[in-house]
Amino acid sequence: MLDIYTLGDEVLRMEAEEVASFTPELKMLVDAMIDTLIEAEGIGLAAPQVGVSKKIFVVKLPNEDPIVFINPEIIETSNEVGPYEEGCLSIPGMYHDVIRPLEVMLQAQDVRGKAFTLKADGLLARVIQHENDHLHGKLYIDRIDDKERERLVKRYERQNRKKKEK
Ligand code: NI
């Protein structure tokens, strides 16, 4: 299992780099990310969350096969938006409603470099947007009200301090 970087780690705030070559090492990283995601019982994991600043994320919805997104680009979003309670493996224990478009269309490449286009709605659309944000140094807490964010971060830091003291 790979180490998961958490709020405060600089790699989470960097613009990730494009993947230029589709090597066996890339496949190994992606496989390790999928294992880590399943182990952590999450539904999405982006490479910056495991300390690798590259445009890669993986999604694994319950009872579905994992999907790998490399060099993804959201090309269209619905005008219709809605709230959904999001969490993040990099901010463990915290959840907050985030408003986002309900449908997205994106282009990406698979682990062998083959391009694909995907139209998503529901939970998949939600996870795709959350993970895609990670590739641009953005976290879901950036998309909530300033006061709410301050409160969430304080609460998170308090819980973390307690954990470290133990
Ligand atoms: Ni996240």
Side-chain angles (χ1 to χ4, degrees), residues 2-19:
L2 304 168
D3 282 339
I4 296 178
Y5 288 61
T6 54
L7 188 63
D9 287 328
E10 207 175 312
V11 66
L12 294 177
R13 291 310 194 173
M14 289 160 59
E15 175 75 21
E17 280 175 26
E18 293 265 324
V19 172

Side-chain angles (χ1 to χ4, degrees), residues 54-77:
K54 286 192 177 158
K55 288 197 159 58
I56 306 166
F57 67 78
V58 295
V59 172
K60 166 87 179 75
L61 297 187
N63 305 315
E64 289 190 33
D65 288 334
I67 315 176
V68 177
F69 299 84
I70 296 176
N71 299 329
E73 203 175 329
I74 292 176
I75 50 176
E76 218 180 297
T77 55

